[in-house]
Amino acid sequence: MKKAMQLQDSRADKFWRIETMGVDLMVNWGKKGSSGHYEMYRFPSEDRCLKEAAKLSQDRQDKGYSDYPEFDPMDIYYYDDDTMGLHPLTSHPLYRKYFTSPFYYSNTERNVPFGSDEGSDALWEMEEVLRRRPKAALRDFPAHVLRKLHSLAYYPPHGESVEELRRIDAAASAEAHPSLKELRSTDRMIIASALAQLKITGSLSEQLYQLALLAITRLERIRGLGQNVWLTSSMLMTIQRDLKLYRSSLSPAKQAVGA
């Protein structure tokens, strides 16, 4: 079930919408022009979920709400419910379309994009930033979060070869030289930041897109040098594939947009 409604009178101009997925129900409401508030509920059965959705919709209609056919789900930001956590119903439709693997909606294990310290902080901090400043520039977001929340330096990938990474590893004990672990933290932060922007907004800056592809490649090469990068090879390749599928679906004009 999916339904959007509105209330327009001399005192209010509000939207309210509801959507179900199996036994889960999402309610989103607020002032028109905002992303509003999100709440998630889970029921013992799909039938019970649909009955509750119908009841809530009828309650809104009884309070004066009417159908809102102009509502555009592509044009708002999506924020997870604190109780339920990550969920497709609280993710942008484009993210739901191209990022379907269960690991995109999990933060309970360290070996998923939003499960590491870097990943969970990237999603949480991006939500905080975009709630305060919906049009915030995100070019330096991964570096900002690493420095603010982890007190770590930021080492963006630039296509390092395996040999170059070996030299970095050998020089890591010297003062002012990064270690492979520090590069790993940067890469995980970049990947999680790209996915977070997509999950919330449905868009991805060109710079963050390119950095995410480079980060995936560097993590795979770091793994080859014996470092645990947490994300599996299969998962990294899935993320790379899905990012490219998403990007290829955009018009050339949208592909050129940076944020």
Side-chain angles (χ1 to χ4, degrees):
M1 177 182 179
K2 184 187 299 185
K3 190 175 186 65
M5 306 178 79
Q6 62 182 330
L7 178 64
Q8 289 181 300
D9 57 30
S10 59
R11 295 175 298 174
D13 189 11
K14 301 186 290 187
F15 75 92
W16 181 91
R17 68 187 185 101
I18 194 168
E19 186 175 354
T20 63
M21 179 181 289
V23 299
D24 295 333
L25 181 154
M26 179 274 293
V27 179
N28 173 217
W29 75 96
K31 182 180 179 181
K32 284 186 181 179
S34 74
S35 293
H37 306 276
Y38 289 87
E39 282 190 355
M40 292 286 300
Y41 303 91
R42 178 162 289 165
F43 296 89
S45 67
E46 186 171 349
D47 182 62
R48 174 78 178 277
C49 183
L50 289 171
K51 286 180 179 178
E52 183 63 22
K55 177 180 179 296
L56 290 171
S57 297
Q58 185 61 53
D59 287 346
R60 287 293 143 178
Q61 188 172 330
D62 293 344
K63 291 179 179 179
Y65 282 75
S66 60
D67 286 344
Y68 186 13
E70 300 86 7
F71 177 81
D72 185 1
M74 304 287 283
D75 197 33
I76 63 171
Y77 288 178
Y78 289 75
Y79 299 107
D80 292 310
D81 170 72
D82 290 340
T83 301
M84 184 79 74
L86 282 69
H87 197 284
L89 287 175
T90 49
S91 302
H92 193 279
L94 286 177
Y95 188 81
R96 289 167 60 176
K97 179 177 180 179
Y98 292 101
F99 300 85
T100 59
S101 296
F103 67 76
Y104 288 122
Y105 302 93
S106 173
N107 61 355
T108 58
E109 300 177 2
R110 195 173 184 182
N111 64 337
V112 296
F114 295 128
S116 67
D117 291 341
E118 298 91 348
S120 61
D121 286 343
L123 181 58
W124 177 84
E125 183 70 10
M126 187 166 289
E127 286 187 353
E128 291 297 305
V129 168
L130 292 176
R131 282 184 190 276
R132 296 193 307 269
R133 295 181 289 120
K135 301 299 182 182
L138 300 172
R139 295 182 186 89
D140 301 320
F141 179 82
H144 160 75
V145 181
L146 273 178
R147 291 165 183 157
K148 175 184 175 182
L149 300 182
H150 296 266
S151 300
L152 292 176
Y154 176 66
Y155 299 102
H158 56 265
E160 296 94 331
S161 67
V162 173
E163 286 305 314
E164 187 175 356
L165 290 171
R166 279 202 182 96
R167 290 194 295 271
I168 290 172
D169 192 31
S173 58
E175 186 177 353
H177 281 273
S179 67
L180 293 185
K181 290 183 179 180
E182 289 174 303
L183 302 189
R184 179 185 66 185
S185 289
T186 290
D187 291 340
R188 290 199 305 234
M189 179 62 71
I190 288 170
I191 293 168
S193 297
L195 294 175
Q197 185 181 7
L198 278 162
K199 186 179 185 304
I200 296 169
T201 73
S203 63
L204 181 60
S205 72
E206 176 64 20
Q207 182 182 31
L208 200 44
Y209 169 71
Q210 297 295 343
L211 279 173
L213 296 183
L214 288 170
I216 289 169
T217 299
R218 188 166 74 175
L219 274 184
E220 192 58 39
R221 289 172 179 170
I222 289 174
R223 178 203 308 285
L225 295 175
Q227 287 283 336
N228 184 359
V229 301
W230 303 112
L231 301 174
T232 66
S233 290
S234 174
M235 193 176 293
L236 288 170
M237 294 306 102
T238 297
I239 297 170
Q240 181 185 70
R241 179 202 67 196
D242 294 343
L243 284 170
K244 289 182 176 180
L245 283 173
Y246 159 78
R247 201 64 172 178
S248 67
S249 73
L250 303 179
S251 66
K254 288 187 176 181
Q255 288 183 20
V257 173

